[in-house]
Amino acid sequence: MSETIIKIKHLRKEYPNVTPLKDVNTEICKGEVISIIGPSGTGKSTLLRCINLLEKPTSGEILIDGVPITAPKADVPSIRRKMGMVFQNFNLFNHLTVIENIMAAPMDLLKKSRDEAYGHGMELLRMVGLSDKAFSLPEELSGGQKQRVAIARTLAMDPEIVLFDEPTSALDPTMVGEVLSVIRNLARQGLTMLIVTHEMRFARDVSTRIFYMDDGVIYEEGMPKEIFTNPKKEKTRQFIQKLKVYEAHITKADFDFVALASQLEEFGRKQQVNQKTVVNMQLLFEELVVNSLIPALFQPFDLTFTAEYAEEKGSMKIRLRYSGDALNPLDKADELSLKLIENAARDCVHSYSDGINVLELEIV
């Protein structure tokens, strides 16, 4: 069984106006590569900064190799030396050459000799493909090259754990690949790594596990195949599939259907959906919900109308979810409504379980 290197219990981080981490719990084993994904502002970077105590947790416990680093008398400098961190914006010393940037910490903190630090530094530069830039200043490098130097500088401290905080977010798209290639090579070497990233294909290919963060917690975690192919939770699915979602709750027959139809048009406009799809979405709402379903439901009822637009595929799906007895609105539609629905939608599937009806369809 793999040895646990990081254990987090009920981690919470509060700021005056926001609480990015509410209750984070997890264990990470030696050699794991964890990609942390999720929408902006959901605590991903804060989690990394708490793990190496750049941010002091409000409450909870973090253990590294069984040692509680959040304890009042913890030897923080010693614990930090087990961890390296690669930031978004490189944080190189601009007045030092590339090799001097890499040599500085091993000489100051690990008390390595100048020759030893230089030899190891050049070895790391060769590994990241930049040995020819050893005596250049950071200002002479591209963004991708700077980040590769930053990775080499982190590795010079021989860390057991490496934390990457969105290492490609400040880069021109043409430079992203060179940095991700270096991280892929590190993953093959068995380093324990936590990577906050928006590069979904990279996360899927390189990780042993994925953390999807939302609502101040690790909302869902699993193997890459599980998370990217068959996520169990709705927010994860929407994020992975890059879905833009419109949702409306209807609880009475005399709701303002004109306003809702207008909101659907505005949703379509914002997502730059073609006009035919928008018109069909409004038509399906009117025929399925207004004309067929609501007249057949007993009041009070609980109906959720959801429209999902998949950016990558350019497709729009509708889902109706409502309580009560088994009821398919297509069975209640008249001949004209059925014809209109058939022309506007495909793959109409109705299911019923535990008092909940679900009708899903894709707009033509």
Side-chain angles (χ1 to χ4, degrees):
M1 186 174 178
S2 298
E3 182 182 350
T4 298
I5 191 169
I6 302 173
K7 190 170 187 176
I8 300 173
K9 302 178 183 177
H10 302 297
L11 181 64
R12 184 178 181 87
K13 177 60 183 177
E14 299 175 1
Y15 297 105
N17 300 315
V18 67
T19 304
L21 302 179
K22 296 176 182 175
D23 187 19
V24 174
N25 298 274
T26 193
E27 291 188 21
I28 297 164
C29 295
K30 283 188 176 180
E32 280 203 277
V33 179
I34 308 292
S35 285
I36 306 171
I37 64 173
S40 298
T42 53
K44 302 183 299 297
S45 294
T46 303
L47 175 59
L48 292 194
R49 295 176 69 85
C50 284
I51 289 173
N52 70 359
L53 296 182
L54 289 175
E55 298 281 355
K56 184 178 179 182
T58 304
S59 61
E61 191 175 23
I62 302 171
L63 295 92
I64 304 295
D65 280 335
V67 178
I69 67 173
T70 43
K73 295 183 179 180
D75 184 357
V76 175
S78 175
I79 294 163
R80 272 198 185 135
R81 280 198 282 272
K82 293 185 177 184
M83 292 184 276
M85 186 155 180
V86 178
F87 299 88
Q88 298 178 34
N89 295 313
F90 326 129
N91 291 358
L92 299 176
F93 296 113
N94 290 324
H95 65 289
L96 299 179
T97 64
V98 164
I99 191 63
E100 288 170 338
N101 264 279
I102 295 171
M103 293 168 59
M107 290 171 61
D108 292 344
L109 300 176
L110 301 182
K111 305 305 179 185
K112 288 189 176 183
S113 69
R114 186 175 182 83
D115 285 347
E116 188 179 7
Y118 176 82
H120 191 206
M122 289 302 297
E123 182 182 324
L124 291 169
L125 281 176
R126 282 190 288 273
M127 186 186 75
V128 300
L130 290 173
S131 58
D132 62 326
K133 301 293 184 182
F135 302 103
S136 300
L137 291 170
E139 65 183 21
E140 301 174 80
L141 306 180
S142 69
Q145 290 171 334
K146 289 178 184 177
Q147 193 61 290
R148 284 188 278 159
V149 172
I151 292 171
R153 180 185 58 181
T154 297
L155 296 176
M157 291 295 290
D158 299 319
E160 295 179 31
I161 302 163
V162 182
L163 311 174
F164 293 88
D165 186 10
E166 299 192 44
T168 61
S169 65
L171 301 180
D172 184 283
T174 59
M175 301 174 187
V176 169
E178 62 192 62
V179 174
L180 296 183
S181 176
V182 169
I183 299 174
R184 278 193 179 92
N185 289 335
L186 293 178
R188 297 188 190 105
Q189 295 174 25
L191 267 177
T192 304
M193 300 193 291
L194 280 74
I195 309 164
V196 173
T197 183
H198 290 289
E199 301 289 338
M200 294 298 102
R201 179 169 294 182
F202 168 77
R204 183 178 58 213
D205 292 346
V206 80
S207 309
T208 57
R209 266 194 300 164
I210 304 288
F211 290 173
Y212 172 75
M213 290 193 68
D214 210 329
D215 294 334
V217 300
I218 298 174
Y219 187 81
E220 184 171 355
E221 65 176 272
M223 305 287 282
K225 186 175 181 180
E226 295 170 347
I227 296 296
F228 285 99
T229 305
N230 189 31
K232 295 180 176 64
K233 297 190 177 182
E234 185 63 17
K235 283 187 178 180
T236 314
R237 186 182 70 86
Q238 291 177 3
F239 179 82
I240 293 298
Q241 297 181 11
K242 295 185 179 179
L243 300 180
K244 301 298 183 182
V245 180
Y246 171 86
E247 191 168 270
H249 296 280
I250 305 168
T251 57
K252 54 186 180 180
D254 58 345
F255 73 102
D256 189 346
F257 67 88
V258 174
L260 202 154
S262 178
Q263 291 168 14
L264 286 175
E265 183 172 11
E266 178 65 11
F267 169 71
R269 185 188 65 78
K270 283 184 177 179
Q271 309 312 324
Q272 298 182 322
V273 178
N274 69 67
Q275 189 60 30
K276 178 187 175 185
T277 300
V278 173
V279 169
N280 282 344
M281 179 169 54
Q282 291 175 305
L283 181 149
L284 289 166
F285 167 71
E286 182 175 351
E287 297 300 333
L288 284 171
V289 177
V290 179
N291 295 340
S292 302
L293 183 56
I294 287 181
L297 292 174
F298 292 104
Q299 295 199 53
F301 56 80
D302 183 7
L303 167 64
T304 301
F305 176 92
T306 305
E308 295 179 345
Y309 179 64
E311 290 181 291
E312 291 186 347
K313 295 181 179 178
S315 63
M316 181 79 76
K317 290 186 177 181
I318 284 177
R319 182 186 303 109
L320 303 179
R321 188 178 188 276
Y322 47 98
S323 55
D325 296 332
L327 173 63
N328 187 342
L330 294 174
D331 296 336
K332 298 294 181 179
D334 59 32
E335 188 176 346
L336 176 59
S337 290
L338 280 175
K339 190 66 176 176
L340 291 170
I341 292 167
E342 287 173 2
N343 288 335
R346 62 188 171 211
D347 300 330
C348 301
V349 178
H350 174 263
S351 61
Y352 180 76
S353 178
D354 297 328
I356 300 296
N357 291 270
V358 177
L359 179 69
E360 295 181 311
L361 48 87
E362 184 171 345
I363 297 175
V364 174

